[in-house]
Each structure stands twice: as structure tokens, then as C-alpha cells.
Amino acid sequence: MVARGVTVTCYTILISFVVTSMVLGNEMCDQTPHPSQRKTLVIQHPTQKPIGSATEFLKVSMERTLDGVVKAKKDTYSLGEQFDSNHIEKGAWEDCMELYDRTIHRLNQSVSCQEDVCSRSDVQAWLSTALTNLETCREGMSELGVSTDSLQGITIDITNALALSKGMEANGNGFGGALGISKVAVETPSIRRRSPDAVVAQDGSGDYKTIQEAVEGAGERPRESKRYVIHVKAGVYQEYVKVGIKSHNIMIVGDGIGKTIITGDKSKGRGFSTFKSATFVAEGDGFVARDMTIRNTAGPENKQAVALRSDSDRSVYYRCSIQGYQDTLYVHSGRQFFRECNIYGTVDFIFGNAAALFQNCSILARTPPNRVNTITAQNRGNPNQTTGIVIQNSVIRAAPGAHLGGGVRTYLGRPWGSYALTVVIGTFLGPLIEPKGWMEWGNQTALSTLYYGEYRNSGPGSGTTNRVNWAGFHVISDIEEARQFTLHNFIDAASWLPSTKVPFTTPL
């Protein structure tokens, strides 16, 4: 796809700078998965002050990685002309260009972490997202038979940075000092207590007639900005909505599930990539949606058809109904919280590589076209990514009107990524769940490297006696192990969730 110039690695940084302590440098390199990758390369760099800390070492690594991603994006841009005659290939190329931009955005956030207001968990989340973005690009291009060898070097760089960052966290080092630095308090006014910033109404009684116009009217909003509230009155909005990556702290409030409805029908079967098929896309950090329905009506015959794709870090979805069939909810990246939501679908209908926690939700399986349902497909590809799907205090059952008897099989999930992580806690599992619980995805190596867990679930589908015997499957009995997947530990919720004024439960 592109010809990468130079690959930055741990040893490259060591031999490109004067390191105050070679012991420090060697220790940092030893923490990476690729310590000797191309270690003979020498990159000339202007004179820098000596690297005297693990934080500085990681920052240099991320800066070099950022340079590589910027170059790769430029090289990939030049390939656009060759895809003009092929709509599908052009779409995959456009996805990659967008994903490069997002990777650059997350790396910039990580590099500037000392100047910005963030924590170690923020950096780990952003690096996890950067790696996810590149993997999504690679998958899209590989499906078309386009070479993705050029992504390997950048991927190695981010993989090494993830490992370095995790090692620093374990050792008590990191950004903002040993204890971290405080977060910006983002005000989240309740729509019930004051007037919203904008109103959308199809009858012309509001400020806008479409949701997208209202989002664009909010303009670009920096990370530290106050919440901008958009009230969408009842109605069926046949439009595709995108809250862009520079639109932080947007809140969209409807008049209730089944009253405010956003609907579209893009799908893989109609020539759109899975990534671009979403009816609603949330990218700007701090996004909040509440009291609405988001649909993709393409139907099961059109394969992948996303209703909601979320790339928003620290995002919340409260009292929303998310409806589709295959690939309904794309929790692509970032830290996400779903509370009292209804999610409908068939195949892999909650999927992606975000750190997504579902609490007090109803997960509703529909009639599948091939007689097999898989509720989740988690895509963690690296053990240092702070990602996964956690379903807590929820209900998993058949959707109203679904026909799940007569040989239809429904599984809790299957591993899209080699290190897939999915945990079900304190949840009612209906009789639709197969006794073995989980399904293979033709990747036998993932069965030992994944982490699938079940803890104190109930209902006719919750028995674990006949569950899969994979090395990576766990019937959790230790409450301390289960606590790894609580709100505060899994998505760092204490630092950002209270400001959204959405209810949540912290204990197991």
C-alpha cells in the first residue's frame, strides 16, 4: 500500500540520542515486544538534551511513531487515483485516510500529555485506539487483496509504546507525576434544568430541522469546553449523523425511545464498508446520547449494517435503543458506557475494540439468517490494549417476535481478535444461550490467549457445567478478579462519568 521510510524502534531511539542512563534505556527496551527490531538503523536527529526518565523515553518513542504515521498518510494519499474506478476499493482507501487522521490525533494527545490534563490511563487508552485504527485500516485493505506490509512498522512502533506505557504504570512512573494530575471538570447541565443550546424539530419550531445541522452549528469544541446540549424533538429523522472528532462534549437528548428515531439503511450488501455503514457516528470525545432510538433497517439479507459506531472516548449512551441485525453496534474505540440501553441484533451485533461497559441493559437477539447468533465479537489484538466488552447487571434474551427455536444457536460471543476480552457479570441469561456458551472463529490460537469470563450470572442459560474448555475461558470465583471489570477499574469512570449525571452502579 505504501512504502514506509524508516521504522522507529526501541533501539533506534537508544542509539539516536545520548541517554543519561543506558540502564534505563535497556530496561525500557526490554519491556517491549520487539526490542531488537531493526536495531542497526541509525536515525539522525538534532541535538537533544539527554533522556533522563522513563516518561521522556516514552515521549520520544511516541514522537518518532507520530512522524512515521504522518509519512505513511502522505504516501497512502498518493494511491487514491488508482482506486477511482472501483467504488469498494475507493471506500477502503478513504477509511484508511480517515483512520490515519485519527491515529495522528490520538498520538498527538499522548505526546502532549504532560502539557494537557490527562492521566496514565488516558495515554494507555489513546495508544490502544491508535493501534485499533491501524488494524481497522489493515483489515479493510486486506479484504481487497491490497498489500498492507507497510503498516507493519508503524504497528510495531505503537505496540512498543503500549508496552512501555504499561510498564511505567506498573512501576508507578508516568504522566503528571507519581499520582497523576487532576482532570478537567466538564460541566454537564441537565436539560431538565435549563434550556438546551439548540433544538431540532422537523416542524420548524426549533433552531434546526436536521440533527446534522445542529451538530455542525455547535462548531469545533475543544476538549475542555462545556457540554453543548442539543434537544431533538420527537420524530423520525431519516438522516446520517456524524459528531466529528473535533466536536468534544456534545450531548444529544431525544424525547424517548421510540419517540425520537434516527434511521438509515447503509450496509455492506449495498456497497458500503462496515466502517462507513453506520446511521450514527460519534467521534468527538465526551459525547453523550440519551432517550432516543438509532436504527439501521438494511435487514439481515444485507450483511454488515451498523446502527451506531462510537469512537468517542469517555462517551455515554443512556436510555437508548440501538437496532439492527448483523454488526448493529460498533464499539470501535475509546472508553464507553451504556446504561439502560436496548441493543437488538443477530451476528456479532456488539463488536469492536473499545473499552465498553454495559450496565442494566437489555441485549436482544433477533432471528438470524444462518441460524446462528453471536452476541459479541471483541477485537483486542494486543494484550497491552486496555479494551474489552463487559456486560454487567443486564438481561440477554430473545427479542420480541424472534424465532430462536428449531436448531437456532445463540452464543455469548466469538473472538475476532487474538486477545479478545469479554466478561459477563451478574446478568440474566435466557434459555437461548447454548450450553457451551462461546463459539470459535477459526483461529485456534486465540482460544488460549483470549479472556472470556462469567461471574455470578443467573437464568436458564447461565449454567457453566458444559461451557467450552478453552484455556482462555474463566468461570470467575474470586471477587477480586471480577473487580478488574468494574466501572472504575475498567474504564477509569471515577474521573469522568459522574459529571455526565447519568446513573451508574459501582459495586458488583
Side-chain angles (χ1 to χ4, degrees):
M1 187 169 64
V2 297
R4 175 92 192 276
V6 213
T7 298
V8 182
T9 62
C10 194
Y11 275 92
T12 299
I13 297 167
L14 275 177
I15 60 181
S16 299
F17 293 86
V18 178
V19 182
T20 299
S21 170
M22 289 302 295
V23 174
L24 166 66
N26 287 326
E27 288 177 351
M28 291 291 97
C29 281
D30 287 343
Q31 292 176 19
T32 69
H34 306 280
S36 59
Q37 180 75 16
R38 303 185 188 180
K39 63 182 180 180
T40 59
L41 287 177
V42 178
I43 298 179
Q44 300 300 321
H45 191 276
T47 302
Q48 299 279 330
K49 65 179 181 179
I51 299 174
S53 70
T55 299
E56 292 174 12
F57 189 90
L58 176 59
K59 185 173 181 179
V60 169
S61 174
M62 291 189 294
E63 287 174 345
R64 287 294 192 166
T65 303
L66 180 58
D67 290 342
V69 176
V70 170
K71 184 182 186 305
K73 181 197 170 185
K74 290 179 180 178
D75 292 342
T76 304
Y77 180 79
S78 65
L79 296 177
E81 293 182 359
Q82 75 183 57
F83 298 129
D84 282 342
S85 61
N86 188 309
H87 173 72
I88 296 176
E89 288 185 350
K90 184 73 170 180
W93 172 82
E94 290 173 346
D95 289 351
C96 277
M97 294 301 299
E98 184 175 335
L99 288 160
Y100 274 130
D101 281 339
R102 293 218 204 124
T103 301
I104 291 167
H105 173 71
R106 293 305 184 190
L107 288 173
N108 272 321
Q109 283 183 302
S110 302
V111 167
S112 63
C113 187
Q114 286 179 298
E115 292 77 29
D116 198 359
V117 181
C118 58
S119 67
R120 292 190 300 269
S121 61
D122 288 329
V123 173
Q124 202 71 0
W126 296 334
L127 290 174
S128 296
T129 294
L131 191 59
T132 297
N133 291 338
L134 295 182
E135 178 60 18
T136 302
C137 171
R138 186 199 65 76
E139 287 173 352
M141 299 301 275
S142 294
E143 286 179 6
L144 303 174
V146 178
S147 172
T148 57
D149 291 345
S150 59
L151 284 174
Q152 182 178 358
I154 308 171
T155 300
I156 288 174
D157 294 343
I158 296 178
T159 298
N160 280 342
L162 264 170
L164 288 170
S165 177
K166 184 175 182 179
M168 289 165 58
E169 184 171 7
N171 293 328
N173 300 314
F175 297 89
L179 299 178
I181 50 182
S182 61
K183 303 285 187 122
V184 169
V186 178
E187 180 186 353
T188 308
S190 170
I191 192 170
R192 304 183 191 282
R193 294 183 181 177
R194 72 158 176 88
S195 299
D197 297 286
V199 176
V200 180
Q202 291 177 323
D203 62 6
S205 62
D207 303 295
Y208 303 94
K209 289 187 176 181
T210 72
I211 302 167
Q212 189 61 47
E213 287 175 335
V215 171
E216 292 170 359
E220 295 184 0
R221 303 184 62 77
R223 188 171 183 259
E224 65 275 9
S225 61
K226 292 183 179 180
R227 192 81 64 189
Y228 185 93
V229 180
I230 300 171
H231 176 204
V232 183
K233 290 187 176 181
V236 179
Y237 295 82
Q238 296 183 345
E239 60 173 302
Y240 296 94
V241 180
K242 181 177 181 179
V243 179
I245 197 167
K246 294 183 180 180
S247 297
H248 297 302
N249 303 321
I250 298 289
M251 180 179 189
I252 299 181
V253 182
D255 280 339
I257 289 175
K259 295 179 180 179
T260 298
I261 300 170
I262 308 167
T263 184
D265 63 359
K266 291 180 180 179
S267 67
K268 191 74 174 285
R270 291 174 176 164
F272 294 91
S273 67
T274 304
F275 190 74
K276 286 288 177 62
S277 68
T279 301
F280 195 111
V281 175
E283 295 178 350
D285 291 348
F287 176 74
V288 179
R290 53 185 290 179
D291 298 309
M292 69 181 68
T293 295
I294 302 172
R295 290 177 179 164
N296 190 312
T297 61
E301 66 277 5
N302 280 297
K303 301 181 180 179
Q304 295 95 325
V306 176
L308 168 65
R309 171 167 60 83
S310 180
D311 291 274
S312 172
D313 190 31
R314 299 174 288 111
S315 57
V316 174
Y317 303 87
Y318 176 48
R319 295 192 307 220
C320 292
S321 183
I322 305 162
Q323 303 174 5
Y325 292 88
Q326 182 173 352
D327 291 6
T328 301
L329 174 56
Y330 198 172
V331 287
H332 184 261
S333 61
R335 290 162 288 187
Q336 307 179 15
F337 179 57
F338 294 79
R339 172 80 180 197
E340 296 174 36
C341 291
N342 304 327
I343 302 106
Y344 295 77
T346 56
V347 179
D348 304 337
F349 65 95
I350 301 174
F351 75 110
N353 198 28
L357 196 149
F358 297 80
Q359 196 174 84
N360 293 47
C361 292
S362 293
I363 298 170
L364 307 164
R366 288 176 153 171
T367 307
N370 61 353
R371 307 186 70 77
V372 176
N373 277 328
T374 42
I375 291 168
T376 65
Q378 210 282 324
N379 195 26
R380 189 171 67 141
N382 183 285
N384 292 320
Q385 288 181 296
T386 53
T387 59
I389 293 171
V390 175
I391 300 171
Q392 182 187 13
N393 298 345
S394 296
V395 174
I396 299 177
R397 59 181 174 85
H403 302 288
L404 301 184
V408 173
R409 291 168 292 156
T410 300
Y411 300 90
L412 292 170
R414 58 176 178 162
W416 186 9
S418 295
Y419 293 89
L421 188 153
T422 303
V423 180
V424 185
I425 296 174
T427 291
F428 178 89
L429 307 182
L432 72 166
I433 301 299
E434 283 289 298
K436 67 181 293 186
W438 307 84
M439 182 182 179
E440 300 87 348
W441 195 331
N443 181 4
Q444 296 302 314
T445 59
L447 305 185
S448 60
T449 55
L450 60 75
Y451 185 101
Y452 281 165
E454 297 183 47
Y455 179 74
R456 293 189 177 181
N457 298 310
S458 62
S462 64
T464 57
T465 302
N466 295 314
R467 287 295 196 253
V468 293
N469 61 355
W470 307 339
F473 172 69
H474 305 265
V475 178
I476 302 173
S477 57
D478 183 355
I479 192 171
E480 292 305 318
E481 182 176 357
R483 281 176 177 152
Q484 297 177 58
F485 309 107
T486 56
L487 270 174
H488 294 332
N489 291 327
F490 191 64
I491 58 173
D492 192 30
S495 63
W496 59 272
L497 189 55
S499 70
T500 68
K501 300 183 180 177
V502 168
F504 58 87
T505 304
T506 53
L508 290 175

